[in-house]
């Protein structure tokens, strides 16, 4: 996992260069809510969790990702549709230590399908279709 200032989202595939790009349309991009990082850290007994540790594509703040499941929303030029919750994988026990899997349950983020591709940039607003929900992601 590497942090970038911008990324290209490809319709129906995900992020250009991502290991999982093109494998399934419903999990084209994964998003993580920044507010959950301190909770996960507390549950695993560490001081801080680096976002890349959790293996999600976008880190966003100021928005309830769970509310976007089943909804279309836009980040920069990109239109996404929240498809399912991003559940933790068994590797979280290795990465976070004992209890890592359970610490991520309910805090794993959201999977989204790329409806309209384009450029994503750090600081782009997150806007839910038909609502005034706004946030800024870290990519």
């Amino acid at each position: 996992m590497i942090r970038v200032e911008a990324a290209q989202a490809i319709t129906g595939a995900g992020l250009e260069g991502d290991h999982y790009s093109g494998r399934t349309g419903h999990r084209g991009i994964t998003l993580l809510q920044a507010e959950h990082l301190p909770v996960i850290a507390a549950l695993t007994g560490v001081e801080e969790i680096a976002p890349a540790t959790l293996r999600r594509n976008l880190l966003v703040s100021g928005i309830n990702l769970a509310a976007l499941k089943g909804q279309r929303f836009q980040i920069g030029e990109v239109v996404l549709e929240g498809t399912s919750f991003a559940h933790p994988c068994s590797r979280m026990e290795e990465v976070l230590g004992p209890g890592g899997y359970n610490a991520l349950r309910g805090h794993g983020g959201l999977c989204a399908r790329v409806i309209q591709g384009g450029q994503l940039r750090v600081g782009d607003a997150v806007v839910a279709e038909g609502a005034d929900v706004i946030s800024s992601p870290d990519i």
Side-chain angles (χ1 to χ4, degrees):
M1 298 290 292
I2 58 169
R3 186 181 194 280
V4 298
E5 294 297 314
Q8 184 69 30
I10 303 165
T11 303
L15 293 178
E16 184 176 74
D18 183 48
H19 178 71
Y20 293 102
S21 182
R23 290 192 182 180
T24 69
H26 82 278
R27 193 182 173 106
I29 292 179
T30 54
L31 299 95
L32 180 67
Q33 192 168 328
E35 291 83 356
H36 289 187
L37 291 173
V39 174
I40 297 165
L43 290 170
T44 56
V46 299
E47 190 172 317
E48 189 175 333
I49 299 279
T53 304
L54 303 178
R55 307 180 58 78
R56 300 296 185 245
N57 300 123
L58 300 178
L59 180 67
V60 299
S61 62
I63 190 167
N64 178 3
L65 285 177
L68 296 177
K69 184 178 179 217
Q71 303 294 316
R72 286 195 178 188
F73 56 100
Q74 187 166 344
I75 303 175
E77 304 171 350
V78 180
V79 177
L80 301 168
E81 181 178 56
T83 56
S84 62
F85 296 118
H87 300 292
C89 70
S90 60
R91 291 194 64 216
M92 290 300 105
E93 291 290 311
E94 296 169 33
V95 174
L96 300 172
Y101 178 87
N102 282 333
L104 264 169
R105 292 176 76 183
H107 302 291
L110 183 71
C111 297
R113 172 187 0 257
V114 180
I115 303 298
Q116 175 185 310
Q119 193 75 213
L120 293 166
R121 293 176 186 82
V122 171
D124 282 345
V126 178
V127 181
E129 191 172 86
D132 293 330
V133 180
I134 298 176
S135 174
S136 296
D138 286 334
I139 297 177

